[in-house]
């Protein structure tokens, strides 16, 4: 199914704040607000257009410290400027507010569509606050002569997030209890509420701002309601249940709360597997080090862990590693032969998450469903919120994180052990973490979140809310090679990769990578792959956690829109 667009009225400007639509004109299709918004069918057609707000296959390509490719994006490349600031588009909000202004039927008919409208207004504003911080809040459609509203100052982010949570409460009240994969329900509202409140709570906590605990409690309460009453659970079917969850043609509602549906019959495809290979997406060594050993011990406790060749590095680890990364013995869906790691990935650690049959590897050839909200995230939101509050118990872990670990047979997380035995690598990776009696378990929950939710669009935002932006400047290291020579990358006992600084020998028939040309190693002729070695990423702690307000919008507002700290523009307003 494709999310269907039905535009009764065109959105007349990219910015809601400066709309020039004449709503008195009769639409070309002869329908008008007076004759529309009166039946469930009409409401459903209108609200279906909201779903385009949701992230789709682009979430997989959001780079951070865990996953990089040839094009790192504006945040990491330092390309954000007030002259070209992205994300300041308000047309989607206009569609929602237009619905509320023109709905003309009883709640007994409109309830599920009202729920969708509240949900998507909340989603819209969460995305805006996450990017820009304070933003002007509107619940009405603006017209040309709404001068005062058009020149409104930015509302405090706390005020806006409070309105977001109120809308999600309404979405929960009015939503259905069904477990519909493609429609917003009560459970989708709770999932988003836990996401929003956790973001705001940790954003505030790690900046010493007021009301952090208020939002953390809201996150924990929403997640607990979901865990207790939604009926969702962690999907465990198949021999590789984690991998199966992301390469399924049809997502199931065991764990997936909301998905974007694709289908070859409807000719609605995506390009996720194509982009993974074509963009040379690769996990970083920093990410790979998050995976525990299969017995639950730290990988950093293994002798010479930082000098293991690929086959040894990935052996005996958390089973999710081999269901996420192309490892020795990997067989693609529908294939019969092992696919070797040929270092297509820029770091040598190639993602297989979302990768299905080879027939789907081309551009716009895949039609596997894309999970957008799933139970595992809510479980992790619950555990993190309670850990940050200092109210986490072992029972809480058993209801959340340990349910996730059960999927692949990993040992349970012990709160006592986590707090008494802290992995020095996690301390190094998250230097700003809360220093308390719960530091260890917070770090272990972050570890769990990092590997469980990788490539789902969370990592960049997690780094920002935890105030760990400086970690994005660290080098992107990959697979380790102790020397030039031949390597067995597919686990069959035979060398299939030659790494050398010399030209490829005529007698060599396998994969070949020339040092200094195809790959750069940290030690010259040995060491870790150093992806993007000539790129120096800079981070400004006072500026870079938020995007700049577009200068053009500040001009149109007459200076009412203030600029974010550290950003400059040519408006001369402040």
């Amino acid at each position: 199914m494709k999310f269907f667009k039905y535009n009764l009225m065109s959105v007349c400007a990219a910015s809601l704040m400066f709309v020039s639509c004449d709503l008195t004109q009769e639409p070309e299709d002869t329908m008008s607000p007076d004759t529309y918004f009166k039946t469930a069918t009409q409401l459903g057609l209108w609200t279906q257009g909201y779903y385009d707000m949701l992230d789709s296959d682009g979430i997989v390509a959001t780079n951070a410290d865990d996953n990089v490719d040839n094009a790192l994006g504006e945040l990491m490349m330092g390309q954000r400027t007030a002259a070209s600031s992205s994300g300041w588009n308000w047309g989607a909000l206009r569609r929602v507010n237009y619905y509320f202004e023109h709905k003309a039927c009883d709640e007994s008919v409109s309830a599920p569509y009202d729920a969708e409208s509240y949900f998507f207004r909340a989603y819209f504003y969460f995305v805006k606050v996450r990017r820009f911080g304070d933003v002007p809040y509107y619940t009405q459609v603006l017209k040309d002569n709404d001068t005062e509203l058009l020149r409104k100052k930015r509302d405090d982010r706390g005020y806006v997030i409070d309105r977001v949570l109120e809308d999600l409460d309404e979405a929960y009240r009015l939503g259905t209890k069904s477990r519909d994969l493609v429609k917003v329900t009560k459970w989708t509202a709770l999932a988003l509420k836990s996401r929003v409140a956790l973001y705001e709570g940790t954003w505030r906590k790690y900046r010493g701002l007021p009301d952090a605990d208020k939002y953390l409690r809201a996150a924990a309460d929403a997640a607990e309601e979901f865990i207790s009453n939604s009926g969702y659970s962690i999907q465990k079917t198949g021999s590789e249940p984690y991998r199966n969850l992301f390469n399924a043609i049809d997502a199931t509602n065991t764990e997936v709360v909301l998905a974007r549906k694709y289908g070859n019959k409807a000719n609605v495809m995506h390009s996720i597997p194509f982009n993974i290979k074509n963009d040379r997406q690769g996990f970083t060594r920093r990410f790979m080090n998050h995976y525990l050993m299969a017995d639950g011990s730290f990988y950093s406790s293994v002798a010479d862990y930082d000098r293991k060749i690929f086959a040894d590095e990935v052996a005996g680890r958390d089973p999710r590693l081999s269901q996420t990364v192309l490892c020795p013995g990997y067989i693609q869906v529908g294939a019969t032969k092992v696919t070797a790691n040929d270092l297509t990935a820029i770091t040598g650690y190639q993602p297989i998450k979302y990768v299905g049959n080879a027939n789907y590897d081309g551009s716009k050839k895949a039609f596997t469903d894309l999970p957008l909200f799933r139970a595992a995230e809510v479980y992790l939101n619950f555990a993190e919120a309670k850990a940050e509050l200092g109210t986490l118990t072992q029972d809480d872990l058993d209801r959340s994180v340990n349910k996730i670990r059960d999927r692949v047979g990993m040992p349970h997380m012990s709160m006592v052990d986590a707090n008494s035995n802290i992995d020095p690598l996690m301390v190094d990776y998250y230097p700003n973490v809360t220093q308390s009696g719960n530091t260890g378990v917070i770090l272990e929950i972050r570890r769990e979140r990092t590997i469980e939710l990788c490539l789902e669009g969370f990592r960049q935002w997690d780094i920002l809310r935890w105030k760990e932006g400086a970690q994005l400047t660290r080098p992107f290291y990959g697979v380790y090679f102790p020397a030039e020579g031949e390597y067995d990358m597919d686990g069959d006992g035979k060398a299939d990769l030659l790494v050398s600084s010399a030209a490829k020998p005529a007698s060599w028939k396998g994969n070949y990578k020339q040092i200094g040309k195809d790959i750069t190693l940290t030690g010259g002729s040995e060491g870790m792959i150093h992806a993007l070695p000539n790129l120096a990423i800079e981070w400004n702690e006072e500026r870079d956690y938020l995007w700049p307000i577009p200068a053009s919008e500040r001009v149109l507002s007459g200076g009412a829109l203030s600029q974010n700290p550290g950003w400059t523009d040519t408006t001369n307003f402040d």
Side-chain angles (χ1 to χ4, degrees), residues 263-284:
N264 61 338
K265 292 182 180 179
N267 196 32
V268 182
M269 312 290 195
H270 63 76
S271 299
I272 293 175
F274 174 80
N275 292 336
I276 286 173
K277 292 184 179 180
N278 194 58
D279 295 341
R280 299 192 65 203
Q281 287 186 30
F283 291 117
T284 63

Side-chain angles (χ1 to χ4, degrees), residues 322-334:
S322 63
Q323 295 178 42
T324 305
V325 185
L326 196 159
C327 292
Y330 168 71
I331 298 176
Q332 189 166 1
V333 176

Side-chain angles (χ1 to χ4, degrees), residues 239-388:
S239 59
E240 295 183 299
Y242 182 80
R243 180 183 173 192
N244 294 345
L245 185 65
F246 298 97
N247 63 25
I249 297 296
D250 295 305
T252 66
N253 62 3
T254 302
E255 177 174 349
V256 179
V257 184
L258 185 68
R260 188 174 291 280
K261 296 287 290 180
Y262 296 89
N264 61 338
K265 292 182 180 179
N267 196 32
V268 182
M269 312 290 195
H270 63 76
S271 299
I272 293 175
F274 174 80
N275 292 336
I276 286 173
K277 292 184 179 180
N278 194 58
D279 295 341
R280 299 192 65 203
Q281 287 186 30
F283 291 117
T284 63
R285 195 172 188 86
R286 178 185 178 94
F287 168 76
M288 296 290 287
N289 287 344
H290 277 73
Y291 286 98
L292 296 169
M293 300 302 293
D295 64 3
S297 60
F298 302 148
Y299 179 60
S300 61
S301 298
V302 176
D304 298 323
Y305 76 91
D306 56 342
R307 294 189 295 277
K308 295 285 186 184
I309 63 172
F310 179 67
D312 294 338
E313 176 189 4
V314 299
R317 306 285 291 276
D318 180 331
R320 282 173 293 185
L321 189 156
S322 63
Q323 295 178 42
T324 305
V325 185
L326 196 159
C327 292
Y330 168 71
I331 298 176
Q332 189 166 1
V333 176
T336 57
K337 295 182 179 180
V338 169
T339 298
N341 180 356
D342 61 1
L343 301 189
T344 292
I346 197 170
T347 59
Y349 300 120
Q350 183 171 326
I352 60 169
K353 188 170 178 175
Y354 302 105
V355 176
N357 192 293
N359 294 333
Y360 312 154
D361 287 353
S363 178
K364 294 296 181 182
K365 293 294 185 181
F367 51 90
T368 50
D369 289 347
L370 178 65
L372 298 174
F373 288 84
R374 61 188 181 98
E377 182 215 339
V378 183
Y379 287 13
L380 289 164
N381 294 346
F382 171 75
E384 184 181 345
K386 298 208 75 174
E388 292 286 5

Side-chain angles (χ1 to χ4, degrees), residues 20-168:
S20 59
C21 292
D22 183 358
L23 299 184
T24 65
Q25 294 180 357
E26 190 75 9
E28 293 181 2
D29 57 9
T30 73
M31 290 186 290
S32 72
D34 293 333
T35 61
Y36 209 67
F37 297 104
K38 292 184 176 180
T39 69
T41 298
Q42 292 168 340
L43 299 181
L45 286 172
W46 184 266
T47 58
Q48 191 64 53
Y50 298 156
Y51 287 82
D52 285 341
M53 290 189 219
L54 295 170
D55 292 325
S56 56
D57 54 336
I59 65 174
V60 179
T62 302
N63 295 140
D65 64 325
D66 63 333
N67 177 55
V68 294
D69 56 31
N70 287 324
L72 292 181
E74 61 176 8
L75 182 146
M76 297 181 72
M77 293 295 289
Q79 296 172 337
R80 296 177 296 172
T81 69
S84 60
S85 187
S86 62
W88 194 269
N89 187 312
W90 295 69
L93 176 65
R94 184 179 190 278
R95 185 182 185 94
V96 177
N97 286 340
Y98 193 87
Y99 170 92
F100 283 120
E101 286 191 8
H102 294 93
K103 185 194 71 166
C105 51
D106 188 81
E107 194 174 275
S108 61
V109 175
S110 68
Y113 313 107
D114 293 352
E116 289 176 300
S117 300
Y118 283 117
F119 176 92
F120 279 102
R121 185 163 65 190
Y123 184 89
F124 174 89
Y125 265 112
F126 170 54
V127 170
K128 284 290 182 287
V129 169
R130 196 173 60 175
R131 182 173 288 254
F132 296 107
D134 299 347
V135 291
Y137 187 80
Y138 297 102
T139 58
Q140 67 272 68
V141 175
L142 302 189
K143 300 179 180 64
D144 289 351
N145 58 357
D146 291 330
T147 304
E148 185 175 347
L149 290 173
L150 290 168
R151 296 197 168 195
K152 180 181 178 181
K153 293 182 179 180
R154 299 159 71 190
D155 288 298
D156 177 78
R157 64 180 295 147
Y159 173 83
V160 178
I161 292 297
D162 285 346
R163 305 291 79 75
V164 165
L165 298 182
E166 289 173 0
D167 274 355
L168 290 173

